């Protein structure tokens, strides 16, 4: 009897399930671990990428100076595919709107504050929605 218990204990230790604890996770546990990893990654991304704060330009009306400043910031920032797409579309908007960002940015000084990259992108979303809703009413603001 003792020998049988020792053999079964050894067999359990060598089995693939025991060697690979991930296989013992349920489907729900597996998905929950993905959520945890995504949250950790997002938190790290938020903490590691800080850019110039443009909130004051949002509050002043989301004018051309805002779009030029965001374009300038994103050009200097390391880009993944999503950021490249955002930058490309922002460049198209600026070009079709006939905005001279070099001239506009001469009047916009650098901010002393920083904000996480996701906050900058959130501000960009707000300003685009505002501009789409209200039209181009703040040409120079």
């Amino acid at each position: 009897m003792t020998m049988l218990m020792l053999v079964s204990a050894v067999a359990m230790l060598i089995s693939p399930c025991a060697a690979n604890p991930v296989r013992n996770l349920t489907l729900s546990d597996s998905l929950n671990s993905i959520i945890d990893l995504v949250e950790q990654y997002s938190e790290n991304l938020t903490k590691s990428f800080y850019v110039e704060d443009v909130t004051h330009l949002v509050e002043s009306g989301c004018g051309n100076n805002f779009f030029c400043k965001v374009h300038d910031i994103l050009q200097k920032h390391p880009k993944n595919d999503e950021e490249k797409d955002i930058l490309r579309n922002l460049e198209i908007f600026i070009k079709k709107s006939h905005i001279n960002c070099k001239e506009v940015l001469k009047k916009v000084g650098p901010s002393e504050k920083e904000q996480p990259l996701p906050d900058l992108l959130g501000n960009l979303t707000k300003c685009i929605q505002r501009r789409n809703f209200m039209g181009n009413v703040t040409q120079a603001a």
Side-chain angles (χ1 to χ4, degrees), residues 6-53:
L6 285 173
V7 170
S8 54
V10 170
M12 285 179 58
L13 288 174
I14 327 178
S15 78
C17 289
N20 188 0
V22 175
R23 290 180 168 247
N24 292 333
L25 289 176
T26 65
L27 188 59
S28 177
D29 290 338
S30 177
L31 291 175
N32 287 336
S33 81
I34 291 172
I35 291 172
D36 292 340
L37 291 170
V38 167
E39 287 174 355
Q40 288 173 346
Y41 176 70
S42 296
E43 188 175 311
N44 288 338
L45 181 65
T46 300
K47 290 179 181 175
S48 35
F49 292 113
Y50 277 81
V51 294
E52 193 174 332
D53 186 7

Side-chain angles (χ1 to χ4, degrees), residues 35-105:
I35 291 172
D36 292 340
L37 291 170
V38 167
E39 287 174 355
Q40 288 173 346
Y41 176 70
S42 296
E43 188 175 311
N44 288 338
L45 181 65
T46 300
K47 290 179 181 175
S48 35
F49 292 113
Y50 277 81
V51 294
E52 193 174 332
D53 186 7
V54 295
T55 306
H56 64 287
L57 298 174
V58 174
E59 293 168 352
S60 69
C62 294
N64 293 343
N65 53 4
F66 169 80
F67 290 100
C68 288
K69 190 64 171 182
V70 170
H71 178 263
D72 185 55
I73 291 169
L74 290 177
Q75 277 187 318
K76 296 173 185 173
H77 188 268
K79 296 163 201 57
N80 59 29
D81 288 340
E82 290 82 11
E83 287 178 47
K84 287 177 185 176
D85 290 342
I86 292 168
L87 186 60
R88 186 185 73 244
N89 286 312
L90 195 52
E91 288 171 351
I92 291 168
F93 165 76
I94 289 170
K95 184 177 179 181
K96 289 190 175 195
S97 298
H98 306 291
I99 302 169
N100 184 345
C101 281
K102 285 185 182 182
E103 288 300 315
V104 170
L105 289 174

